[in-house]
Amino acid sequence: MFAAAALNRLTTVLAILVLATSPVFAKASSQPVDEAFLAWWRTITSTEKMAEMYEGISIRFAVTYGEQKGPVSEIDRGTAEAPIIQSQIWRSGNSWRFNREPPFAGIEYDDAVWASGLAWRLNNEQLLIDDQAGIESSKYRIDLVGNDVAFEFSRLTSCTLDKMLENSPSTCAPVLSATKQKWSFDCTIPVDGSRSRRVKADGEWSEVGGYGTIATVAIFFLMDGQETGREEFVTSGWIQVPERSIAAPRTLTHKMTSSDETMIHTLSSLGFQEFTPSDFKVLTRLPRVDGTDAIRGDVQFVQLQDLRDGSGATYSIDASRRASAIVSGKSVKPLKRLQYAGWVMLAIVTIVLVLVRIQRARITHV
């Protein structure tokens, strides 16, 4: 019996050593395990705390709009059966820069910024400018900036738990396993009227590292207790941010199911990049017609639309980078290429994002 007890203790020590050296766990915490676990749980279920944890860290990732076969780095985005959009998010407080590189002909990049009272969108053909108040009052005016970016950030960092557990009852709490190496959560949260949602999740916890990861999340949307749709997340592997107690899943599969269709997205983390407040100020600076962008270099757009005063003033940009106002209602030859090509290309990416929102709205009955 003594030998068996000693063996059990040795096994436990070895298990802790393995966990402690795992790259997904942070440095040891001096807090008691229950307090440390609850602190981590409160972080991943709080939009504000997640933003604080990722302050100064940019995330590069790719989204495959369909099932992914093989590592995204080995897939030709131009010939892949399912569209793959490579993206990067810079976030500072409630300000963002969200860059995308779609695999569609003619679109080299499609970037959006929400910062310093302005929201602007830039691609190789157009620059669109508005103020943040204008964006908030217009549903799809500029790339859903602020809303869809927040969604991408939420599902990549917490499988949307920070959004789904808003206003959850105080009785809803995660449970640690007897070994304190696994955790689970299962709670039904009232929404309004006859609507509610049941959230189930599980993952791993390191008592020594004071850090956890998410394995699966299932969200069931209910009407009068009957399921009307669901969202399911499955992660595979986690990449830790250097010198920080945060990580993102190497691969995340997000399956959205409604009564009449299923949509699958596969997210792949491609890495992290540190940035300073001064870097962010440069990254979100509005490009000049005759200037450059911090990421894209010399700007090449040939149309500018400024919505800040509510008039929607539109300008064409010639080869000498001179802007000429376009008179409303008149046909302008240089714009035809933009009207029938540039705006169509711009719409392709937006349509993909809008379809995601429609699918989620159908599931949640929002």
Side-chain angles (χ1 to χ4, degrees), residues 29-349:
S29 169
S30 59
Q31 293 178 294
V33 62
D34 290 343
E35 292 183 14
F37 173 74
L38 290 177
W40 172 78
W41 177 258
R42 284 192 291 266
T43 296
I44 67 166
T45 57
S46 166
T47 299
E48 292 76 15
K49 290 183 179 180
M50 285 297 289
E52 292 174 5
M53 290 293 286
Y54 278 87
E55 184 71 32
I57 294 292
S58 173
I59 310 174
R60 291 189 299 110
F61 65 101
V63 181
T64 305
Y65 291 88
E67 292 188 80
Q68 180 176 298
K69 299 177 180 178
V72 68
S73 59
E74 298 178 8
I75 298 176
D76 184 343
R77 292 188 299 131
T79 60
E81 293 183 5
I84 301 175
I85 297 181
Q86 291 191 8
S87 305
Q88 186 161 2
I89 293 177
W90 291 263
R91 176 177 184 171
S92 180
N94 291 323
S95 298
W96 312 79
R97 175 158 182 159
F98 186 27
N99 285 11
R100 286 179 306 279
E101 296 176 2
F104 305 121
I107 306 180
E108 297 175 15
Y109 55 85
D110 186 26
D111 303 343
V113 165
W114 173 284
S116 304
L118 287 180
W120 52 267
R121 181 176 184 176
L122 173 71
N123 69 14
N124 47 297
E125 293 283 355
Q126 295 105 6
L127 172 63
L128 181 61
I129 311 169
D130 205 342
D131 54 66
Q132 290 179 345
I135 301 308
E136 292 168 352
S137 64
S138 54
K139 198 169 184 181
Y140 297 122
R141 187 187 263 181
I142 184 171
D143 190 43
L144 312 175
V145 174
N147 201 353
D148 268 7
V149 180
F151 166 68
E152 292 288 7
F153 183 83
S154 173
R155 71 172 174 177
L156 186 64
T157 55
S158 74
C159 298
T160 73
L161 283 177
D162 65 321
K163 300 295 185 185
M164 291 296 103
L165 296 183
E166 285 180 338
N167 304 316
S168 59
S170 58
T171 53
C172 290
V175 177
L176 273 175
S177 66
T179 62
K180 295 187 177 182
Q181 295 179 6
K182 304 280 186 180
W183 64 266
S184 60
F185 179 85
D186 188 347
C187 188
T188 299
I189 303 167
V191 178
D192 58 55
S194 57
R195 295 192 304 144
S196 61
R197 58 177 175 260
R198 182 184 180 190
V199 181
K200 296 179 64 178
D202 59 53
E204 295 185 353
W205 170 252
S206 168
E207 184 177 4
V208 174
Y211 190 77
T213 57
I214 302 168
T216 67
V217 173
I219 304 162
F220 305 91
F221 299 96
L222 310 174
M223 179 75 72
D224 294 320
Q226 300 297 312
E227 183 181 328
T228 60
R230 68 173 64 182
E231 295 189 34
E232 298 166 276
F233 300 82
V234 179
T235 72
S236 176
W238 285 73
I239 304 174
Q240 186 185 356
V241 178
E243 304 300 324
R244 298 214 184 186
S245 301
I246 51 177
R250 190 176 301 278
T251 302
L252 167 65
T253 301
H254 179 195
K255 182 178 180 181
M256 295 165 279
T257 304
S258 65
S259 58
D260 55 356
E261 65 179 326
T262 296
M263 184 181 295
I264 297 176
H265 294 174
T266 303
L267 282 73
S268 302
S269 298
L270 302 179
F272 305 100
Q273 178 183 342
E274 292 187 5
F275 64 90
T276 65
S278 58
D279 292 335
F280 189 74
K281 186 176 181 180
V282 173
L283 286 168
T284 57
R285 183 179 297 156
L286 181 66
R288 293 174 53 88
V289 170
D290 58 350
T292 62
D293 175 69
I295 300 294
R296 304 304 178 184
D298 292 337
V299 293
Q300 300 297 324
F301 59 87
V302 291
Q303 186 184 55
L304 166 65
Q305 187 172 15
D306 191 341
L307 306 176
R308 285 176 289 183
D309 61 358
S311 64
T314 304
Y315 305 85
S316 63
I317 313 299
D318 63 22
S320 299
R321 309 309 297 166
R322 292 176 298 184
S324 302
I326 298 171
V327 180
S328 178
K330 290 187 177 181
S331 174
V332 182
K333 279 188 176 182
L335 270 189
K336 285 188 176 180
R337 172 169 164 259
L338 295 171
Q339 291 170 335
Y340 299 111
W343 285 112
V344 171
M345 292 187 299
L346 196 66
I348 291 174
V349 179

Side-chain angles (χ1 to χ4, degrees), residues 16-34:
I16 290 174
L17 287 173
V18 170
L19 286 169
T21 56
S22 174
V24 302
F25 295 125
K27 294 179 181 179
S29 169
S30 59
Q31 293 178 294
V33 62
D34 290 343

